[in-house]
Amino acid sequence: MPEPTARAEAIARSILARTDGDIRLALPLGLGKPVTLVNALTKLVAQTPSARLSILTALTLERPSMSAGLARRFMEPAADRLFGAYPEIAYAEMMRDGTLPPNIEVSEFFMMAGRWLGVGEAQRNYIAANYTHAYDRLREWNPNVVMQLLAEAEDGTLSLSCNTDITADLLRDREAGRLSFLLAGEVNRQLPAMGGDAATLPGQAVDLLMRDGTEFELFSAVKRPVGVTEHAIGLHVARLIRDGGTLQIGIGAIGDAVAHALLLRHAGQSAPVHRACPLPPDGIDDAGAFDEGLYCVTEMLVDGLLQLFEAGIIRREVDGAAIHAGFFVDCRDFYARLRDMPEARRNRIRMVPVSYTNQLYGDEAAKRAARRDARFVNAAMKATLLGGIVSDATAEGREVSGIGGQFNFIEQAFALEDGRAIITLPATRTRNGRTESNIVWDHPHESVPRAYRDIVVTEYGIADLRGQRDAEVVKRMLRITDARFQDALLDKARAAGKIERDFSIPDAWRVNTPGTVAGWLAPFDLPQFPFGSDFDETERRLLPALDLLSETRGSRRGLARLVVAGLRSSAADEERACMARMGLDHPRGMERLESLALKGALAETRREAQVIRK
């Protein structure tokens, strides 16, 4: 039976004693980390040189860096409101500042996107694994301790809540005698008690339990603004989803845009938007309302999917569930809606391991029957002109995030009858004042090889690549490429003999510019935050200006342009409020340059918004 209420330090000492000081700790990814217990164990081992702690996990959640500059001015005053008063995870803090002792090591198979690019320890210890294979690696590693953040239902029973993804299978293996480990749990009553495999945790399964400790506030994933690029991608994707089918989408602005576009479609409000589209036609019509509804099978339950469930779009049930999901992490409103949902309704959302969501093996016939007309929607960083997908690492091999379950769902799309894998990405990105194409000729690293090319969507449209000859793939990718980069990419394809020498870009494709997309969507007044935001009105006004400054960083010419614009600007009331919010309304010394650049960015983004509205 669980030990009586114990403080974290006592549980850490008990773990150290029961493992003889050699701890192989498996931690759930994301929200499921019991931070109080993890920190207590990490600090105890750091103070015990004879002990050893090896941690295998993924997606260590951290609030963004607020070390200096405009980012600190913007984030620091609102950090708790935006991200929750989520505590620092000790091992992450030590890795960042170079103080992780030699008797502690941390390996992850998926990382918070971009957060560990410059940390050598994290890069060296990264384990490349598809999500469904991560459990195999973990089982071979043979953990002797598993820790998990737990929810508690009204009747006092415990729930795995946000993370059944790998823990459920670990517990099954332990019950079958294939693994032996201590399970230490930390109860957090802000977590919703979920059904499915999350609810099958008997009290006696928990060896060490911290039930009445100081509960920390859950990590809140801040919603990013959904701009015209994301809205355009979402509107294109929404045309590909079949009524009565199966859906998976990811977190972030594009995921929110897809969910919002599906809501528009269901309400009969998307057809006028598509009719006004000036982009090259792709032959895919806008579809109607969801009369039968969708079924969702996803590794990650995100707010966009919950919105579709609450709106009655996701309602087709499989074994009594409209949603099967492996884990979740999102915003505080998301957690509250799950907690407050009537139990009967919440039970239609079943938390299951990723061995169920991410693959067809195991009861394959039933899974195939359930996952009809599947559409798996995932994001990428880059795509090659021949259909290869880059999602997780830079050209130099530095890991940005990890492959996660993306390849699992692409593989499912090819294995299922009528299944399709939809990869989304903005056509361009801007950094250091320079705009580059996200569609490239080649890349030294492909997360998804071009043999698995299927559907690629940018703001400029849909490229259906499955089963096409290379020459046709090149043409279809050029049709969704930004016009500024079409000619250079066409030259590469010609040089490689992958397209006819006399092929030229049709005039209809030359309209692929940001201005075209902005002009198309401006009359429809699409929301910047379709599902709400913790940013206040002033912060929302600041966001595009800060994005512009970020894009300009490293470009002297770009920074000079903004400073000059700031000198010429006569700030409106809302912009004066922005300057005050950033503490730059009365700048001193070197702050003056920063203040002028921000004023210029505010003026420039205001003019851009006015042009779009016109």
Side-chain angles (χ1 to χ4, degrees):
M1 293 293 292
E3 292 185 359
T5 300
R7 303 303 298 172
E9 294 79 6
I11 291 176
R13 288 193 294 272
S14 178
I15 290 171
L16 196 66
R18 295 191 192 195
T19 58
D20 294 327
D22 185 7
I23 305 164
R24 298 180 304 281
L25 172 62
L27 285 178
L29 65 73
L31 194 64
K33 292 179 176 60
V35 181
T36 313
L37 290 181
V38 175
N39 284 354
L41 184 62
T42 302
K43 291 171 182 176
L44 177 62
V45 172
Q47 297 163 6
T48 312
S50 61
R52 177 172 175 77
L53 172 61
S54 180
I55 300 173
L56 184 54
T57 187
L59 193 60
T60 296
L61 299 173
E62 296 180 292
R63 304 197 319 180
S65 172
M66 293 176 279
S67 56
L70 292 173
R72 181 173 184 174
R73 289 178 180 275
F74 182 74
M75 290 294 184
E76 197 168 56
D80 286 353
R81 168 166 53 86
L82 295 176
F83 302 98
Y86 187 72
E88 292 281 350
I89 296 178
Y91 69 73
E93 198 172 14
M94 292 174 180
M95 287 171 68
R96 287 205 177 278
D97 61 21
T99 61
L100 191 72
N103 63 335
I104 300 177
E105 65 175 15
V106 182
S107 299
E108 295 194 90
F109 67 87
F110 190 86
M111 300 188 288
M112 207 167 180
R115 292 283 290 145
W116 297 95
L117 279 170
V119 181
E121 178 109 8
Q123 291 293 321
R124 290 189 293 274
N125 289 345
Y126 169 75
I127 297 172
N130 292 310
Y131 206 169
T132 54
H133 300 148
Y135 182 70
D136 297 331
R137 305 289 80 76
L138 185 61
R139 184 167 50 190
E140 292 164 0
W141 184 64
N142 193 25
N144 56 9
V145 180
V146 174
M147 285 184 171
Q148 174 110 11
L149 197 66
L150 303 172
E152 186 173 38
E154 290 183 3
D155 63 1
T157 58
L158 301 175
S159 166
L160 294 174
S161 186
C162 55
N163 282 84
T164 48
D165 53 330
I166 290 179
T167 307
D169 281 339
L170 280 170
L171 290 172
R172 287 194 185 106
D173 266 1
R174 185 175 76 162
E175 187 176 356
R178 291 186 292 269
L179 287 174
S180 177
F181 55 80
L182 294 170
L183 177 61
E186 176 179 347
V187 172
N188 190 309
R189 291 170 183 83
Q190 296 177 47
L191 274 180
M194 302 299 295
D197 286 50
T200 59
L201 179 68
Q204 62 268 26
V206 185
D207 302 289
L208 297 158
L209 183 64
M210 181 174 162
R211 189 174 230 135
D212 298 317
T214 303
E215 296 177 6
F216 57 83
E217 190 170 341
L218 300 177
F219 183 88
S220 183
V222 173
K223 292 186 179 297
R224 292 292 301 164
V226 179
V228 292
T229 295
E230 292 82 15
H231 273 304
I233 292 171
L235 286 159
H236 295 315
V237 170
R239 292 182 287 136
L240 296 166
I241 311 303
R242 289 185 179 177
D243 186 22
T246 304
L247 179 67
Q248 175 255 330
I249 58 176
I251 197 169
I254 290 179
D256 285 351
V258 171
H260 180 257
L262 290 170
L263 289 167
L264 290 180
R265 169 184 155 181
H266 187 59
Q269 297 173 359
S270 60
V273 185
H274 292 303
R275 284 197 295 270
C277 183
L279 298 167
D282 51 30
I284 302 170
D285 296 328
D286 179 43
F290 293 94
D291 297 324
E292 185 178 353
L294 302 174
Y295 161 64
C296 172
V297 59
T298 180
E299 62 182 29
M300 185 177 189
L301 176 61
V302 297
D303 190 34
L305 292 170
L306 189 60
Q307 297 282 348
L308 295 174
F309 174 72
E310 291 170 326
I313 292 174
I314 293 177
R315 67 177 185 275
R316 179 171 73 84
E317 293 188 0
V318 173
D319 297 328
I323 296 177
H324 283 109
F327 77 97
F328 60 75
V329 55
D330 212 288
C331 60
R332 56 167 59 82
D333 176 67
F334 172 92
Y335 308 138
R337 293 192 344 261
L338 282 175
R339 285 196 309 269
D340 297 341
M341 193 176 287
E343 186 177 2
R345 191 174 189 186
R346 190 171 59 237
N347 283 341
R348 295 175 62 215
I349 302 172
R350 304 274 177 86
M351 301 302 293
V352 293
V354 293
S355 58
Y356 179 91
T357 60
N358 287 35
Q359 64 187 20
L360 297 177
Y361 312 126
D363 203 7
E364 184 172 339
K367 287 182 178 180
R368 286 183 175 276
R371 298 174 193 189
R372 64 176 189 253
D373 291 326
R375 299 293 181 266
F376 303 121
V377 186
N378 290 281
M381 300 188 302
K382 294 182 182 181
T384 72
L385 207 60
L386 291 172
I389 302 301
V390 182
S391 301
D392 66 313
T394 67
E396 300 78 26
R398 291 189 298 162
E399 202 62 36
V400 177
S401 55
I403 191 63
Q406 184 175 103
F407 189 78
N408 299 149
F409 286 105
I410 289 172
E411 194 174 32
Q412 278 192 70
F414 276 82
L416 289 166
E417 185 175 355
D418 295 324
R420 302 303 300 268
I422 302 168
I423 293 294
T424 63
L425 73 164
T428 63
R429 70 187 185 284
T430 301
R431 59 180 181 181
N432 298 330
R434 181 183 175 188
T435 299
E436 301 174 352
S437 177
N438 284 330
I439 296 176
V440 297
W441 171 244
D442 58 5
H443 196 273
H445 164 81
E446 289 184 0
S447 313
V448 181
R450 63 179 182 266
Y452 282 89
R453 60 196 181 198
D454 201 349
I455 296 175
V456 178
V457 180
T458 73
E459 63 268 36
Y460 300 123
I462 299 166
D464 188 343
L465 310 179
R466 188 188 287 195
Q468 299 299 317
R469 296 181 174 92
D470 279 358
E472 183 62 24
V473 169
V474 167
K475 293 172 187 176
R476 294 187 182 195
M477 289 296 289
L478 286 171
R479 191 176 55 78
I480 64 167
T481 297
D482 190 287
R484 291 168 288 181
F485 304 97
Q486 289 169 344
D487 288 321
L489 287 168
L490 176 57
D491 288 343
K492 292 277 192 181
R494 282 198 191 111
K498 287 294 185 179
I499 199 167
E500 305 92 302
R501 300 291 302 177
D502 60 352
F503 178 82
S504 59
I505 304 291
D507 290 342
W509 302 2
R510 299 289 188 181
V511 303
N512 289 3
T513 67
T516 299
V517 174
W520 163 37
L521 296 181
F524 300 100
D525 196 27
L526 298 170
Q528 185 185 25
F529 292 94
F531 306 126
S533 171
D534 288 319
F535 292 114
D536 63 30
E537 186 176 350
T538 298
E539 289 162 349
R540 294 185 191 194
R541 176 66 186 88
L542 276 163
L543 285 170
L546 293 172
D547 282 343
L548 178 58
L549 282 164
S550 178
E551 292 171 358
T552 309
R553 188 176 56 222
S555 168
R556 292 184 179 179
R557 180 178 296 179
L559 181 61
R561 185 190 78 245
L562 293 179
V563 169
V564 170
L567 286 167
R568 294 174 176 171
S569 171
S570 53
D573 287 345
E574 65 171 21
E575 284 153 11
R576 283 193 286 272
C578 290
M579 301 303 293
R581 166 64 177 78
M582 297 291 285
L584 290 171
D585 45 341
H586 300 292
R588 298 179 179 179
M590 292 302 295
E591 288 180 348
R592 291 188 175 91
L593 189 64
E594 202 170 41
S595 173
L596 287 170
L598 179 58
K599 281 181 66 178
L602 287 164
E604 193 163 309
T605 52
R606 181 184 71 229
R607 284 194 297 272
E608 288 175 358
Q610 289 170 344
V611 168
I612 289 172
R613 283 194 293 269
K614 290 178 182 176

